[in-house]
């Protein structure tokens, strides 16, 4: 039993050491078991703590005296050697022992003023004080500023709210035991400490009440019912105490003498002597020690699990900081970090991802591939090759390409201009694709988390900045290259490419489609005849249905053919209207040019009259020659005679061999017209001679 009790006693020092560790790192990841002292100003909190310690060491005065949380750790430890029997140590002054408790009080005041100033302000930064004494029990107490309702002096106007928030910060933790101090000479219903404790602990499971100033109650009044929990019930109960008065403090009455007078008060009081063994500072100290040990025992499994988890994670973080051997050489460490950053960057682009991003969203190289193939590729596929090329645009381009000339065929410059315009459309989506890839690369750089860089925030910021600057510098040449590629394509339209469909290929395709349609139509006609022949082979009851289905198909084909012919006719009509408009424009241009050429037309008309007179005389000569050599009464037109509206074209040359054969065959023809043929040849030669003259 003694061994178990000794083991339990060692739990409190362990918790105290954990508190010191968390105080150094300025964080409290664990909710450690501790006793928090709560009460209003001048309720006797400081006197209770001094009675527990047995020494006078806390600051005293009017108004708010405790302005910072004081974490008081009591260690039951006997003196060793010639050193002091009792001493104190501050966490902010490690290794320095205070044997004089007046100096401890002075150091508390100095440390409080150092953080909060001298204007009665408060701070939630705690002061850690250890007291070693053979007359104390192992305890951990937290003394907080007293509750107040009004700001006085130079205190901030919201000082009551600040104090309330500070107290709630400590007592809302589930592992904190609330020591609610209330004066006995004030109605318990007006106790600020019990009211605040009930808000965070409504069932009173972790609240212990302390009634002070029992000796100052009015005559005829007592708090026996409260101490016996007949008025207000708490699981840990109420304990009564009698502390030193202000006069006792001024006269330097010792705490030990005050304890003796306290025991004498309870033993001689007619009402309290029946519960004297459950009142007083000594009983309060033992009760708090017992409650704290049992509370630590109950919280120990959860604390052990959380401490082991934190220890494991901390070890992983330490191992992730890198090889400690590299710390000896700054250059080697820097090179190692840069290589690790480059490796992670390349791995992210290659798809070697780890963590949540590998399963939640497209990231890295997969995102870049999605930008190229899906976003950019689909957008390019959706672009209409002739989008925006309306008939008016094409007509205007063709007209502008002709300039002042009236061309017979479509100018090639118009096609080049229209093709260049459509190629230019590809430039904007290509540049947008560059922006998307650039944004994704920047995202990769900013999201790379290297364990070695966690130690060096400035180095990480500089690496990210340098890489982003490099990406920014590379972005401009990439955009220039894309612009140059588009300009190269615009500068030369390669009509010799195998995929380019020229005029000849287009006509060839049209002819092929027309031939295919004719072939399909012929096959359909043959199929119709075959179907008619097959009708007679069907049973009589199915011939009617077959004829109906066949007629439906025929009507459908006829409707489709009529629709296509109608559409073709509409297209031809539009083309004809377009040609009519073009001819009308040409006529207008001709009329404008005709106004300037009126004089030249008159001269041309005179020449035409003279030429017509000449041609009429030649006609008369030709008729007379025909009557002379033709041998007939009717007038026949001569071979060389031409109408005025026609243009004479020279006959095609034939090979001499063929011409000789025809002449010979004509000469030796056995028909009766051999004589007239020879006469016709001679007359032709005579006419040629006359025409030459």
């Amino acid at each position: 039993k003694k061994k178990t009790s000794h083991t339990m006693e060692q739990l409190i020092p362990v918790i105290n050491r954990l508190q010191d560790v968390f105080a150094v790192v300025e964080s409290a990841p664990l909710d450690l078991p501790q006793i928090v002292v709560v009460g209003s100003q001048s309720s006797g909190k400081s006197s209770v703590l001094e009675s527990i310690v047995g020494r006078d060491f806390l600051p005293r005065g009017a108004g708010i005296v405790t302005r910072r949380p004081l974490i008081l750790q009591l260690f039951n430890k006997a003196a060793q050697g010639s050193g002091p029997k009792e001493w104190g140590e501050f966490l902010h002054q490690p290794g320095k022992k205070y044997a004089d408790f007046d100096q401890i009080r002075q150091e508390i005041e100095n440390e409080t003023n150092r953080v909060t100033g001298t204007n009665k302000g408060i701070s939630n930064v705690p002061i850690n004080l250890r007291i070693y004494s053979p007359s104390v029990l192992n305890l951990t107490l937290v003394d907080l500023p007293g509750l107040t309702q009004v700001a006085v002096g130079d205190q901030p106007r919201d000082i009551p709210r600040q104090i309330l928030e500070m107290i709630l910060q400590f007592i809302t933790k589930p592992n904190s035991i609330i020591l609610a101090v209330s004066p006995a000479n004030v109605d318990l219903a007006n106790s600020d400490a019990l009211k605040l404790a009930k808000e965070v602990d409504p069932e009173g499971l972790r609240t212990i009440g302390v009634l002070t100033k029992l000796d100052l109650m009015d005559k005829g009044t007592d708090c026996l019912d409260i101490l016996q929990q007949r008025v207000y019930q708490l699981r840990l109960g109420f304990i009564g105490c009698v502390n030193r008065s202000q006069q006792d403090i001024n006269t330097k009455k010792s705490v030990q003498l005050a304890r003796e007078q306290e025991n004498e008060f309870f033993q001689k009081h007619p009402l309290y002597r029946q519960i004297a063994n459950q009142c007083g500072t000594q009983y309060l100290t033992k009760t708090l020690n017992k409650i704290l040990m049992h509370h630590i025992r109950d919280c120990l499994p959860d604390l052990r699990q959380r401490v082991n988890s934190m220890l494991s994670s901390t070890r992983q973080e330490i191992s992730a900081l890198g090889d400690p051997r590299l710390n000896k050489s700054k250059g080697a460490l820097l090179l190692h970090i840069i290589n690790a950053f480059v490796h992670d960057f390349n791995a992210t682009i290659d798809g070697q991802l780890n963590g949540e991003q590998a399963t939640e969203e497209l990231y890295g190289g997969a995102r870049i591939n999605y930008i190229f193939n899906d976003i950019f590729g689909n957008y390019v596929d959706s672009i209409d090759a002739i989008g925006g090329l309306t008939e008016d645009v094409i007509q205007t381009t063709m007209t502008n390409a002709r300039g002042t000339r009236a061309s017979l065929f479509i100018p090639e410059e118009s096609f080049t201009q229209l093709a260049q315009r459509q190629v230019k459309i590809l430039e904007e989506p290509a540049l947008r694709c560059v922006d998307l890839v650039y944004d994704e690369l920047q995202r990769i750089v900013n999201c790379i988390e290297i364990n070695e860089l966690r130690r060096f925030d400035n180095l990480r910021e500089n690496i990210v900045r340098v890489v982003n600057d490099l990406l920014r510098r590379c972005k401009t040449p990439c955009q220039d290259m894309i612009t140059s590629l588009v300009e190269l394509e615009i500068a030369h339209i390669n009509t010799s490419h195998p995929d380019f469909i020229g005029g000849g290929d287009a006509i060839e395709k049209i002819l092929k489609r027309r031939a295919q349609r004719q072939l399909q139509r012929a096959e359909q006609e043959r199929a119709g005849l075959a179907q008619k022949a097959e009708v007679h082979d069907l049973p009589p009851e199915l011939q009617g249905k077959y004829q109906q289905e066949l007629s439906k198909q025929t009507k459908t084909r006829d409707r489709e053919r009529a629709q296509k012919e109608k559409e073709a006719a509409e297209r031809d009509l539009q083309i004809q209207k377009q040609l009519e408009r073009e001819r009308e424009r040409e006529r207008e241009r001709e009329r404008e040019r005709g106004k300037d050429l009126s004089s030249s037309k008159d001269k041309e008309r005179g020449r035409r009259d003279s030429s017509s007179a000449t041609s009429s005389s030649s006609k008369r000569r030709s008729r007379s020659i025909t009557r002379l050599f033709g041998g007939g009464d009717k007038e026949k037109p001569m071979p060389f005679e031409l109408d005025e509206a026609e243009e004479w074209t020279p006959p095609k040359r034939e090979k001499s061999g063929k011409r000789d054969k025809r002449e010979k065959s004509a000469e030796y023809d056995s028909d009766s017209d051999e004589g007239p043929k020879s006469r016709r040849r001679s007359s032709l030669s005579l006419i040629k001679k006359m025409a030459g003259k």
Side-chain angles (χ1 to χ4, degrees), residues 18-66:
L18 288 176
Q19 283 183 337
D20 294 342
V21 172
F22 295 151
V24 172
V25 299
E26 297 183 355
S27 64
L30 290 179
D31 180 15
L32 297 177
Q34 57 189 359
I35 299 175
V36 181
V37 183
V38 181
S40 59
Q41 288 186 15
S42 304
S43 61
K45 296 189 292 70
S46 299
S47 299
V48 172
L49 293 178
E50 289 179 342
S51 298
I52 292 174
V53 176
R55 299 298 296 266
D56 189 0
F57 66 97
L58 293 176
R60 297 279 184 171
I64 299 177
V65 179
T66 304

Side-chain angles (χ1 to χ4, degrees), residues 8-9 11-12 15 33-36 137-141 174-180 204-210 229 234-239 283-299:
M8 293 289 292
E9 287 286 343
L11 292 177
I12 297 177
I15 298 300
Q34 57 189 359
I35 299 175
V36 181
L137 297 177
N138 292 331
L139 274 179
T140 301
L141 301 169
N175 290 340
S176 296
I177 298 174
I178 304 172
L179 184 64
L205 300 178
R206 54 187 181 91
T207 303
I208 179 172
V210 176
Q229 301 199 66
L234 295 175
R235 180 180 178 183
L236 301 179
F238 283 91
I239 298 176
Y283 177 76
L284 176 62
T285 304
K286 294 178 182 179
T287 302
L288 293 178
N289 177 263
K290 183 179 178 181
I291 291 173
L292 184 58
M293 285 192 301
H294 285 82
H295 189 54
I296 293 174
R297 181 193 62 187
D298 296 338
C299 300

Side-chain angles (χ1 to χ4, degrees), residues 84-98:
K85 294 182 180 181
E86 298 177 340
W87 73 93
E89 294 179 359
F90 288 96
L91 187 62
H92 62 273
Q93 292 180 348
K96 184 177 181 180
K97 295 182 179 181
Y98 288 86

Side-chain angles (χ1 to χ4, degrees), residues 174-417:
N175 290 340
S176 296
I177 298 174
I178 304 172
L179 184 64
V181 180
S182 303
N185 57 353
V186 178
D187 190 357
L188 193 65
N190 298 326
S191 175
D192 295 333
L194 289 177
K195 178 183 176 182
L196 195 59
K198 189 173 180 61
E199 292 180 1
V200 297
D201 183 26
E203 298 180 0
L205 300 178
R206 54 187 181 91
T207 303
I208 179 172
V210 176
L211 296 178
T212 61
K213 302 181 181 181
L214 294 175
D215 56 336
L216 300 180
M217 295 181 67
D218 296 336
K219 292 182 180 182
T221 60
D222 62 81
C223 58
L224 182 62
D225 293 340
I226 297 175
L227 294 175
Q228 293 180 348
Q229 301 199 66
R230 297 174 184 172
V231 178
Y232 193 90
Q233 293 183 355
L234 295 175
R235 180 180 178 183
L236 301 179
F238 283 91
I239 298 176
C241 295
V242 176
N243 301 324
R244 295 181 300 169
S245 64
Q246 188 62 39
Q247 184 179 359
D248 295 336
I249 296 173
N250 295 335
T251 57
K252 302 295 184 180
K253 180 187 289 189
S254 64
V255 178
Q256 296 295 334
L257 181 58
R259 280 186 178 182
E260 295 176 0
Q261 292 179 355
E262 180 186 29
N263 295 333
E264 183 179 357
F265 172 80
F266 285 112
Q267 291 175 0
K268 293 182 178 181
H269 197 280
L271 295 177
Y272 300 141
R273 62 185 178 183
Q274 56 182 330
I275 57 172
N277 59 344
Q278 298 178 5
C279 296
T281 304
Q282 293 181 353
Y283 177 76
L284 176 62
T285 304
K286 294 178 182 179
T287 302
L288 293 178
N289 177 263
K290 183 179 178 181
I291 291 173
L292 184 58
M293 285 192 301
H294 285 82
H295 189 54
I296 293 174
R297 181 193 62 187
D298 296 338
C299 300
L300 189 59
D302 182 60
L303 289 175
R304 179 179 296 175
Q305 181 181 359
R306 296 181 63 184
V307 167
N308 290 334
S309 177
M310 291 176 58
L311 183 62
S312 176
S313 62
T314 304
R315 286 175 178 173
Q316 291 179 0
E317 290 180 2
I318 292 175
S319 62
L321 292 177
D323 190 354
R325 294 174 296 178
L326 296 174
N327 296 336
K328 299 179 181 179
S329 175
K330 296 181 179 179
L333 179 60
L334 180 61
L335 182 61
H336 173 74
I337 292 174
I338 294 175
N339 289 335
F341 186 90
V342 174
H343 177 269
D344 286 1
F345 184 82
N346 294 333
T348 303
I349 295 178
D350 294 338
Q352 302 173 7
L353 301 176
N354 293 320
E356 297 180 355
Q357 291 178 338
T359 57
E360 291 185 352
E361 61 178 350
L362 288 179
Y363 180 68
R367 178 70 179 175
I368 295 175
N369 182 62
Y370 173 77
I371 292 171
F372 276 118
N373 295 324
D374 291 351
I375 298 178
F376 178 70
N378 293 338
Y379 183 81
V380 172
D381 293 339
S382 65
I383 295 177
D384 187 6
I386 58 174
L389 297 181
T390 61
E391 294 183 359
D392 294 337
V393 173
I394 296 174
Q395 183 63 38
T396 303
T397 306
M398 294 171 57
T399 304
N400 292 333
R402 287 197 299 263
T404 59
R405 304 180 303 276
S407 60
L408 180 62
F409 300 100
I410 298 175
E412 185 177 355
E413 290 80 3
S414 61
F415 168 77
T416 303
Q417 293 174 2

